[in-house]
Amino acid sequence: AALTSVRREVVVVLDHSFSMGYQLSPDETCYDAAKKQITALIGRMDAARGDTVTMILMGAAAEIVVPYHSPPDDALARLDRIAAPSLHAADCPVL
């Protein structure tokens, strides 16, 4: 409860590789399930409090799809526009 008034900066890394297309049920893939969980997480954030989101898509290359320190509503809008997983493996270079 003490953390609810503290501003949060969340970084989400979403796997966009081929394996995320695995069917968990006839109507849902791993990718669908991940997007639902991310939507729920971001939905609990509060822009008025100063909460921000950064989202990285891990596919053939890492791609920042929600720029650093974006408001939660912007992050949700961008999440909705991300296409289904690619046919590539995720490439996570060591920096």
Side-chain angles (χ1 to χ4, degrees):
L3 296 177
T4 59
S5 64
V6 175
R7 182 174 63 94
R8 295 182 288 175
E9 296 182 16
V10 174
V11 177
V12 175
V13 179
L14 176 57
D15 184 353
H16 198 246
S17 67
F18 180 74
S19 63
M20 291 297 282
Y22 178 78
Q23 290 289 142
L24 296 171
S25 70
D27 299 326
E28 185 175 56
T29 63
C30 291
Y31 189 69
D32 297 329
K35 282 181 72 170
K36 281 182 189 176
Q37 290 178 355
I38 293 167
T39 299
L41 169 72
I42 296 172
R44 292 189 303 268
M45 297 179 74
D46 184 359
R49 180 177 51 210
D51 292 350
T52 62
V53 179
T54 301
M55 189 178 309
I56 302 167
L57 200 62
M58 292 302 300
E63 175 186 0
I64 297 174
V65 292
V66 176
Y68 297 112
H69 310 297
S70 295
D73 289 343
D74 288 358
L76 285 174
R78 289 175 186 259
L79 178 63
D80 284 342
R81 292 193 301 260
I82 297 172
S86 68
L87 297 177
H88 303 285
D91 184 17
C92 186
V94 176
L95 301 175

